[in-house]
Amino acid sequence: MEHIARRLHEEMTRYNWVGFYLIDPADPGILQVGPYVGSFTPNVRIPLDTGLCGAAATTRQTVIVQDVSTDPRYLPGSTMVNSEVVVPIFVKGDLAGELDVESYFAGTFDKSEQDFVEACAAVVGKYLGKG
């Protein structure tokens, strides 16, 4: 996960923060920050019913917001963030975590970006499922 976060951050110029949130094994109602790369410190623990990460977790679907200032669910990690995509990661059908990508540019995540980030999350899900 650290390698994927670093590569996405380095290679995708509009991916200003890339990280993983994982279900806390001690409290399955919480997402806790995992490996990440970016210019700000993220929210360390997020309840499953809070923010865009919580929305992706509870709906079990990708959440894309092209302008976070227009979405009341947005839980700020940085005032510089303008758009975000959150993709749930599943292991054998169970939510294991999420891949969260944030951009300082509005409108970053079109359909091709969504497909790409979802494919990255699927790779991590398959890897975690082997353990």
Side-chain angles (χ1 to χ4, degrees), residues 47 49 61 74 76 82 86 104:
D49 62 354
Q61 296 181 351
Y74 178 65
N82 281 300
V86 183
Y104 299 156

Side-chain angles (χ1 to χ4, degrees), residues 40-91:
F40 61 89
T41 302
N43 296 294
V44 176
R45 294 174 59 78
I46 301 174
L48 288 183
D49 62 354
T50 303
L52 300 178
C53 287
T58 56
T59 64
R60 299 174 60 90
Q61 296 181 351
T62 298
V63 171
I64 296 176
V65 178
Q66 301 295 0
D67 180 355
V68 296
S69 70
T70 65
D71 195 316
R73 301 172 299 176
Y74 178 65
L75 179 63
S78 168
T79 58
M80 296 185 293
V81 172
N82 281 300
S83 60
E84 182 172 3
V85 60
V86 183
V87 179
I89 297 171
F90 300 101
V91 174

Side-chain angles (χ1 to χ4, degrees), residues 1 8 18 20-21 24 26 29 46 48 58 77 80 85 103 107 120-121 123:
M1 286 184 283
L8 290 175
V18 179
F20 291 91
Y21 281 93
D24 183 344
I46 301 174
L48 288 183
T58 56
M80 296 185 293
V85 60
S103 176
C120 292
V123 167

Side-chain angles (χ1 to χ4, degrees), residues 97-112:
E98 299 176 336
L99 174 52
D100 185 5
V101 181
E102 301 184 25
S103 176
Y104 299 156
F105 305 91
T108 293
F109 304 105
D110 61 17
K111 179 63 173 142
S112 66

